[in-house]
Protein backbone atom coordinates (compact mmCIF):
# COMPACT_ATOMS: atom_id res chain seq x y z
CA UNK A 1 0.00 0.00 0.00
CA UNK A 2 2.65 2.49 1.09
CA UNK A 3 3.39 5.72 -0.71
CA UNK A 4 1.66 4.92 -4.01
CA UNK A 5 -1.77 4.68 -2.35
CA UNK A 6 -3.10 2.37 -5.05
CA UNK A 7 -5.94 1.33 -2.74
CA UNK A 8 -7.99 4.23 -4.14
CA UNK A 9 -8.36 2.16 -7.31
CA UNK A 10 -10.67 -0.15 -5.33
CA UNK A 11 -13.47 2.40 -5.84
CA UNK A 12 -13.84 1.38 -9.47
CA UNK A 13 -14.82 -2.30 -9.01
CA UNK A 14 -17.01 -1.60 -5.98
CA UNK A 15 -18.96 1.16 -7.73
CA UNK A 16 -19.18 -0.98 -10.88
CA UNK A 17 -20.50 -3.88 -8.81
CA UNK A 18 -23.01 -1.60 -7.06
CA UNK A 19 -24.25 -0.17 -10.37
CA UNK A 20 -24.56 -3.55 -12.09
CA UNK A 21 -25.59 -5.94 -9.33
CA UNK A 22 -27.24 -3.93 -6.56
CA UNK A 23 -26.99 -4.16 -2.80
CA UNK A 24 -26.63 -7.94 -2.42
CA UNK A 25 -23.50 -8.24 -4.51
CA UNK A 26 -21.90 -5.03 -3.31
CA UNK A 27 -22.14 -6.17 0.32
CA UNK A 28 -20.15 -9.30 -0.53
CA UNK A 29 -17.66 -7.26 -2.51
CA UNK A 30 -17.21 -4.78 0.32
CA UNK A 31 -16.69 -7.54 2.84
CA UNK A 32 -14.09 -9.21 0.60
CA UNK A 33 -12.33 -5.90 -0.07
CA UNK A 34 -12.26 -4.84 3.58
CA UNK A 35 -11.04 -8.29 4.63
CA UNK A 36 -8.36 -8.16 1.92
CA UNK A 37 -7.19 -4.72 3.06
CA UNK A 38 -6.95 -5.88 6.69
CA UNK A 39 -4.99 -8.99 5.67
CA UNK A 40 -2.69 -6.92 3.43
CA UNK A 41 -2.04 -4.49 6.30
CA UNK A 42 -1.02 -7.41 8.55
CA UNK A 43 1.24 -8.95 5.90
CA UNK A 44 2.75 -5.64 4.78
CA UNK A 45 2.77 -3.29 7.78
CA UNK A 46 2.03 0.25 6.58
CA UNK A 47 3.88 3.43 7.47
CA UNK A 48 2.57 5.67 10.25
CA UNK A 49 -0.15 7.77 8.51
CA UNK A 50 -1.48 5.10 6.13
CA UNK A 51 -3.79 3.21 8.60
CA UNK A 52 -5.91 6.32 9.13
CA UNK A 53 -6.16 6.89 5.36
CA UNK A 54 -7.04 3.24 4.78
CA UNK A 55 -9.65 3.35 7.55
CA UNK A 56 -11.21 6.45 6.01
CA UNK A 57 -11.10 4.80 2.58
CA UNK A 58 -12.83 1.69 3.93
CA UNK A 59 -15.53 3.79 5.58
CA UNK A 60 -16.15 6.02 2.55
CA UNK A 61 -16.01 3.15 0.09
CA UNK A 62 -18.42 1.08 2.17
CA UNK A 63 -20.84 4.01 2.52
CA UNK A 64 -20.78 4.92 -1.17
CA UNK A 65 -21.06 1.28 -2.25
CA UNK A 66 -24.03 0.66 0.02
CA UNK A 67 -25.84 3.84 -0.99
CA UNK A 68 -25.37 3.21 -4.72
CA UNK A 69 -26.19 -0.49 -4.33
CA UNK A 70 -29.38 0.31 -2.40
CA UNK A 71 -30.49 2.83 -5.04
CA UNK A 72 -29.86 0.37 -7.86
CA UNK A 73 -31.66 -2.43 -6.01
CA UNK A 74 -34.65 -0.16 -5.46
CA UNK A 75 -34.66 0.78 -9.15
CA UNK A 76 -34.61 -2.92 -10.11
CA UNK A 77 -37.49 -3.64 -7.71
CA UNK A 78 -39.56 -0.78 -9.14
CA UNK A 79 -38.86 -1.96 -12.70
CA UNK A 80 -40.03 -5.48 -11.83
CA UNK A 81 -43.17 -4.11 -10.17
CA UNK A 82 -43.90 -2.01 -13.24
CA UNK A 83 -43.41 -5.02 -15.49
CA UNK A 84 -45.85 -7.07 -13.41
CA UNK A 85 -48.45 -4.30 -13.39
CA UNK A 86 -48.09 -3.79 -17.13
CA UNK A 87 -48.53 -7.50 -17.78
CA UNK A 88 -51.63 -7.54 -15.54
CA UNK A 89 -53.13 -4.51 -17.29
CA UNK A 90 -52.41 -5.97 -20.73
CA UNK A 91 -54.08 -9.22 -19.65
CA UNK A 92 -57.17 -7.32 -18.50
CA UNK A 93 -57.34 -5.40 -21.77
CA UNK A 94 -56.80 -8.45 -23.97
CA UNK A 95 -59.31 -10.63 -22.12
CA UNK A 96 -62.04 -8.02 -21.80
CA UNK A 97 -65.31 -8.83 -23.59
CA UNK A 98 -65.63 -5.11 -24.42
CA UNK A 99 -63.82 -3.45 -27.29
CA UNK A 100 -60.90 -1.40 -25.94
CA UNK A 101 -58.59 0.99 -27.74
CA UNK A 102 -55.43 2.35 -26.10
CA UNK A 103 -54.10 5.65 -27.45
CA UNK A 104 -50.65 7.21 -27.12
CA UNK A 105 -50.02 10.84 -26.12
CA UNK A 106 -50.63 12.09 -29.68
CA UNK A 107 -53.99 10.32 -29.98
CA UNK A 108 -52.73 7.52 -32.23
CA UNK A 109 -53.88 3.95 -31.68
CA UNK A 110 -51.30 2.03 -29.67
CA UNK A 111 -53.24 -1.13 -28.89
CA UNK A 112 -56.62 -2.70 -29.56
CA UNK A 113 -57.99 -5.82 -27.94
CA UNK A 114 -59.49 -8.84 -29.71
CA UNK A 115 -63.08 -7.79 -28.94
CA UNK A 116 -62.54 -4.44 -30.64
CA UNK A 117 -60.87 -6.08 -33.62
CA UNK A 118 -63.80 -8.50 -34.02
CA UNK A 119 -66.29 -5.66 -33.65
CA UNK A 120 -64.78 -3.63 -36.47
CA UNK A 121 -63.32 -6.55 -38.47
CA UNK A 122 -59.78 -5.18 -38.32
CA UNK A 123 -56.66 -7.22 -37.97
CA UNK A 124 -55.04 -6.70 -34.56
CA UNK A 125 -52.13 -4.65 -35.91
CA UNK A 126 -53.90 -2.75 -38.71
CA UNK A 127 -54.97 0.19 -36.58
CA UNK A 128 -51.74 0.57 -34.59
CA UNK A 129 -50.25 3.99 -35.35
CA UNK A 130 -53.38 5.34 -37.03
CA UNK A 131 -55.30 8.37 -35.85
CA UNK A 132 -58.46 8.14 -33.76
CA UNK A 133 -60.42 9.66 -36.67
CA UNK A 134 -60.02 6.39 -38.61
CA UNK A 135 -62.35 4.63 -36.18
CA UNK A 136 -64.44 7.52 -34.84
CA UNK A 137 -67.72 8.52 -36.43
CA UNK A 138 -69.27 11.71 -34.94
CA UNK A 139 -72.87 11.66 -33.77
CA UNK A 140 -73.69 14.80 -35.74
CA UNK A 141 -72.37 16.04 -39.09
CA UNK A 142 -71.20 19.30 -37.49
CA UNK A 143 -68.91 17.43 -35.09
CA UNK A 144 -66.29 16.32 -37.60
CA UNK A 145 -63.20 16.13 -35.41
CA UNK A 146 -62.69 13.39 -32.85
CA UNK A 147 -62.50 14.59 -29.25
CA UNK A 148 -58.89 13.44 -28.91
CA UNK A 149 -58.08 15.87 -26.10
CA UNK A 150 -61.05 14.67 -24.05
CA UNK A 151 -60.08 11.04 -24.57
CA UNK A 152 -56.46 11.74 -23.67
CA UNK A 153 -57.68 13.50 -20.51
CA UNK A 154 -59.30 10.23 -19.47
CA UNK A 155 -62.87 10.72 -20.67
CA UNK A 156 -64.70 7.80 -22.23
CA UNK A 157 -65.68 8.20 -25.86
CA UNK A 158 -69.31 7.30 -26.52
CA UNK A 159 -70.85 7.49 -29.93
CA UNK A 160 -74.22 6.40 -31.28
CA UNK A 161 -73.17 6.25 -34.90
CA UNK A 162 -71.64 2.91 -35.88
CA UNK A 163 -67.92 3.11 -36.61
CA UNK A 164 -66.68 2.05 -40.04
CA UNK A 165 -65.91 -1.65 -40.33
CA UNK A 166 -63.01 -2.92 -42.36
CA UNK A 167 -65.32 -5.22 -44.35
CA UNK A 168 -67.83 -2.35 -45.02
CA UNK A 169 -70.68 -4.16 -43.22
CA UNK A 170 -72.81 -2.04 -40.93
CA UNK A 171 -73.04 -2.60 -37.21
CA UNK A 172 -76.51 -2.75 -35.71
Amino acid sequence: LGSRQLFYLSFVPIIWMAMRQGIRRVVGGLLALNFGIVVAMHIFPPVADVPSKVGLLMLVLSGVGLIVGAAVSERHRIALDLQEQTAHLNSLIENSPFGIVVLDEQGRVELTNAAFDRLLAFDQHELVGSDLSRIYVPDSPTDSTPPTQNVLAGDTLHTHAPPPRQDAHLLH
Side-chain angles (χ1 to χ4, degrees), residues 7-87:
F7 52 83
Y8 286 108
L9 293 176
S10 61
F11 268 99
V12 175
I14 292 297
I15 299 301
W16 179 84
M17 194 179 310
M19 293 297 294
R20 301 284 293 174
Q21 305 294 325
I23 192 81
R24 289 183 180 169
R25 293 289 172 100
V26 81
V27 167
L30 286 169
L31 288 173
L33 177 68
N34 287 336
F35 180 75
I37 289 174
V38 169
V39 168
M41 288 177 68
H42 283 302
I43 294 172
F44 307 105
V47 292
D49 66 336
V50 172
S52 62
K53 288 182 182 179
V54 171
L56 181 62
L57 165 81
M58 291 167 67
L59 178 66
V60 169
L61 186 58
S62 296
V64 169
L66 291 173
I67 290 169
V68 171
V72 169
S73 291
E74 181 66 11
R75 183 174 289 166
H76 286 298
R77 186 192 63 75
I78 290 170
L80 287 175
D81 287 349
L82 181 61
Q83 247 179 350
E84 288 176 13
Q85 290 173 0
T86 301

Side-chain angles (χ1 to χ4, degrees), residues 76-117:
H76 286 298
R77 186 192 63 75
I78 290 170
L80 287 175
D81 287 349
L82 181 61
Q83 247 179 350
E84 288 176 13
Q85 290 173 0
T86 301
H88 179 72
L89 181 61
N90 284 339
S91 174
L92 290 175
I93 290 171
E94 283 300 319
N95 296 316
S96 173
F98 303 105
I100 298 175
V101 178
V102 178
L103 303 175
D104 64 9
E105 296 84 18
Q106 286 78 34
R108 292 186 304 262
V109 175
E110 190 172 294
L111 172 74
T112 60
N113 69 347
F116 184 84
D117 297 334

Side-chain angles (χ1 to χ4, degrees), residues 101-110 130-132 146-157:
V101 178
V102 178
L103 303 175
D104 64 9
E105 296 84 18
Q106 286 78 34
R108 292 186 304 262
V109 175
E110 190 172 294
S130 63
D131 191 63
L132 182 61
T148 306
Q149 295 304 323
N150 294 352
V151 171
L152 292 176
D155 295 339
T156 304
L157 178 62

